[in-house]
Amino acid sequence: QVQLLESGGGSVQPGGSLRLSCAASGSILSINAMGWYRQAPGKQRELVANINSGGSITYADSAKGRFTISRDNAKNTVYLQMNSLKPEDTAVYYCKHVIRTSWGRRPADYWGQGTQVTVSA
């Protein structure tokens, strides 16, 4: 079994910073893409940043220049450094890893439980 545990959320003032982390544990053969999504109240879940197995990174337009995604493969962990936070960044942030757990099955999506990020004065 595989579990993703998130941490690092909290409440900050506009312009502040937070660093989110998401660590996968369990029976893991390989981790392909790692990504961060967020969902604000009344809105659909959206991609914030993604890093694939080759290290290619994609950011949402709203995150470019402010957020940085990185990966530590030895720890099965993905990070999201968030700087210059804005009120519109307020959301529950979810980590998603695409993980292969056996050679007999295709990789599957695994989601973290979510961590709340609140940006307000």
Side-chain angles (χ1 to χ4, degrees):
Q1 59 182 12
V2 174
Q3 290 186 332
L4 272 60
L5 298 179
E6 299 183 34
S7 62
S11 297
V12 298
Q13 295 185 3
S17 298
L18 287 172
R19 187 173 188 245
L20 308 182
S21 64
C22 175
S25 62
S27 182
I28 298 171
L29 290 180
S30 64
I31 300 178
N32 296 331
M34 301 180 180
W36 289 96
Y37 295 73
R38 67 186 181 189
Q39 188 166 23
K43 296 185 178 181
Q44 293 184 332
R45 188 172 300 184
E46 64 177 354
L47 175 70
V48 177
N50 184 79
I51 181 167
N52 67 17
S53 60
S56 297
I57 296 173
T58 300
Y59 293 105
D61 287 342
S62 61
K64 292 178 181 177
R66 301 187 300 124
F67 294 2
T68 302
I69 187 171
S70 61
R71 176 174 58 189
D72 185 340
N73 288 330
K75 297 181 178 180
N76 292 330
T77 299
V78 64
Y79 304 93
L80 185 68
Q81 178 67 47
M82 303 186 294
N83 299 325
S84 302
L85 284 163
K86 304 175 181 179
E88 51 262 43
D89 295 318
T90 297
V92 177
Y93 284 70
Y94 298 91
C95 172
K96 186 186 80 173
H97 290 186
V98 182
I99 299 175
R100 181 183 293 276
T101 58
S102 73
W103 296 114
R105 295 286 297 169
R106 292 183 294 273
D109 294 347
Y110 291 84
W111 290 88
Q113 65 184 43
T115 184
Q116 177 70 47
V117 171
T118 302
V119 185
S120 65

